[in-house]
């Protein structure tokens, strides 16, 4: 299968590219710079140079692929709503290129705004500012074979530059590793290599569902995350008000536990990576 991957040099996308190629698939990845293109070429992938704003390039490349995986998203939170709008345009462009065919599109979303203990059949929160899943849903209504992979809030592994490093930086800046209230709100997690396998298995098994959960750890208490960070940094672990976390307060106080029971049963997916709390309890995570 020839798969076009956006975000192909990103934290999750790069793992997807390597997993697909390792399973014998052909990959074309989007790269916005020479150094990113070189990284992709080294994996054995083909490269198209461009950005998420190059709609004609995206449409042409998707049209020439057997399937598309969209993982790219600009995480500059200072212009989050602009990035959400860009993401929606990209999904619509990719879906338009696949319309009228049986070729699948997999988009990426998260668990924020879903009920605690969410399952794959739970609908996304209509008030959520990110519209990736709703865009995929609109494409399905038009007959496009689109699906969403919901990633756990922590896609972890050494080299992580997601939400756990945000908490690590905040702890170093403030001198405490903090949680909100009693810290009993829960996050789910997944190792990046296990997450990558979900995308491949979805493609190989025919994209039969609208939503899949890349969730290996159903629930890790946020206080446990704070305690692990505090232990590794030799800092006190304390409860703080939401203001301590600034713009990250909704995430720090969020209940983002979820089940992947249906995804595991459908795909035969058996994550083998370390749990979230085990993975972040190693010195290499803090270098």
């Amino acid at each position: 299968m020839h798969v076009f991957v956006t975000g192909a040099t990103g934290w999750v996308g790069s793992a997807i590219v390597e997993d697909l190629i390792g399973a014998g698939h052909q990959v074309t990845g989007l790269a916005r710079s020479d150094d990113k293109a070189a990284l992709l070429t080294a994996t054995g992938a083909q490269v198209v140079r461009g950005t998420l704003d190059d709609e004609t390039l995206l449409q042409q490349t998707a049209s020439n692929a057997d399937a598309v995986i969209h993982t790219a998203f600009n995480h500059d939170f200072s212009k989050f709503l602009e990035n959400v709008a860009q993401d929606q345009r990209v999904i619509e462009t990719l879906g338009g290129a696949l319309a009228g065919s049986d070729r699948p599109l997999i988009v990426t979303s998260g668990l924020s705004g879903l009920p605690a203990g969410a399952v794959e059949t739970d609908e996304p929160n209509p008030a959520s500012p990110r519209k990736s899943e709703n865009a995929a849903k609109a494409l399905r209504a038009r007959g496009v074979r689109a699906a969403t992979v919901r990633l756990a809030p922590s896609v972890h592994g050494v080299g992580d530059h997601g939400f756990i490093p945000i908490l690590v930086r905040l702890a170093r800046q403030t001198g405490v590793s903090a949680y909100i209230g009693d810290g009993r709100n829960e996050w789910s997690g997944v190792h990046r290599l296990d997450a990558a396998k979900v995308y491949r298995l979805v493609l190989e098994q025919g994209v039969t569902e609208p939503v899949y959960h890349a969730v290996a750890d159903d629930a890790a208490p946020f206080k446990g995350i704070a305690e692990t960070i505090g232990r590794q940094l030799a800092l006190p672990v304390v409860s703080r008000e939401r203001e301590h976390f600034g713009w990250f307060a909704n995430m720090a106080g969020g209940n983002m536990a979820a089940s992947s029971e249906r995804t595991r049963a459908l795909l035969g997916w058996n994550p083998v990576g370390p749990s979230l709390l085990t993975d972040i309890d190693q010195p290499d995570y803090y270098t």
Side-chain angles (χ1 to χ4, degrees), residues 33-285:
S33 65
D34 289 342
D35 59 333
K36 300 292 187 184
L39 288 172
L40 265 179
T41 300
T43 68
Q46 300 178 28
V47 179
V48 289
R49 284 290 306 276
T51 72
L52 294 178
D53 292 320
D54 296 331
E55 293 187 15
T56 300
L57 176 66
L58 294 175
Q59 185 174 43
Q60 290 174 344
T61 309
S63 296
N64 292 328
D66 298 318
V68 178
I69 294 176
H70 175 52
T71 68
F73 188 84
N74 187 335
H75 288 92
D76 179 355
F77 291 98
S78 69
K79 52 178 184 176
F80 183 69
L81 293 181
E82 293 176 40
N83 298 335
V84 165
Q86 179 191 58
D87 182 55
Q88 189 167 1
R89 288 194 304 271
V90 170
I91 293 170
E92 290 167 353
T93 297
L94 296 171
L98 301 173
S101 75
D102 199 33
R103 292 172 295 147
L105 167 65
I106 302 177
V107 307
T108 305
S109 189
L111 299 172
S112 181
L114 290 165
V119 297
E120 292 87 341
T121 52
D122 284 325
E123 291 291 323
N125 185 343
S128 175
R130 186 164 175 178
K131 304 300 180 185
S132 312
E133 188 169 341
N134 287 328
K137 186 175 181 180
L139 288 173
R140 283 198 305 276
R142 292 168 44 197
V144 178
R145 200 168 164 201
T148 300
V149 171
R150 291 174 180 161
L151 291 173
S154 178
V155 182
H156 52 85
V158 173
D160 183 359
H161 47 267
F163 292 149
I164 296 297
I166 289 173
L167 295 171
V168 171
R169 286 195 297 272
L170 182 63
R172 284 178 165 142
Q173 290 165 5
T174 62
V176 297
S177 182
Y179 54 90
I180 295 173
D182 61 11
R184 294 176 66 183
N185 62 298
E186 294 174 319
W187 278 19
S188 52
V190 63
H191 193 277
R192 66 186 287 265
L193 299 183
D194 286 322
K197 291 186 179 74
V198 172
Y199 289 82
R200 173 173 57 82
L201 291 171
V202 169
L203 288 183
E204 291 178 344
Q205 300 197 19
V207 193
T208 59
E209 300 289 305
V211 175
Y212 300 85
H213 279 186
V215 170
D217 313 311
D218 291 352
F222 194 85
K223 184 178 180 180
I225 296 171
E227 288 172 339
T228 305
I229 293 171
R231 180 167 58 251
Q232 284 292 331
L233 298 180
L235 293 175
V237 180
V238 297
S239 177
R240 286 287 187 264
E241 298 298 321
R242 294 174 60 87
E243 290 74 16
H244 174 87
F245 294 89
W247 65 269
F248 196 65
N250 286 339
M251 293 296 294
N255 239 322
M256 291 178 287
S259 166
S260 61
E261 183 178 349
R262 182 174 177 83
T263 296
R264 295 181 195 224
L266 288 166
L267 302 180
W269 177 59
N270 295 301
V272 297
S275 70
L276 170 58
L277 293 182
T278 298
D279 207 14
I280 67 174
D281 197 13
Q282 54 176 316
D284 286 350
Y285 223 97

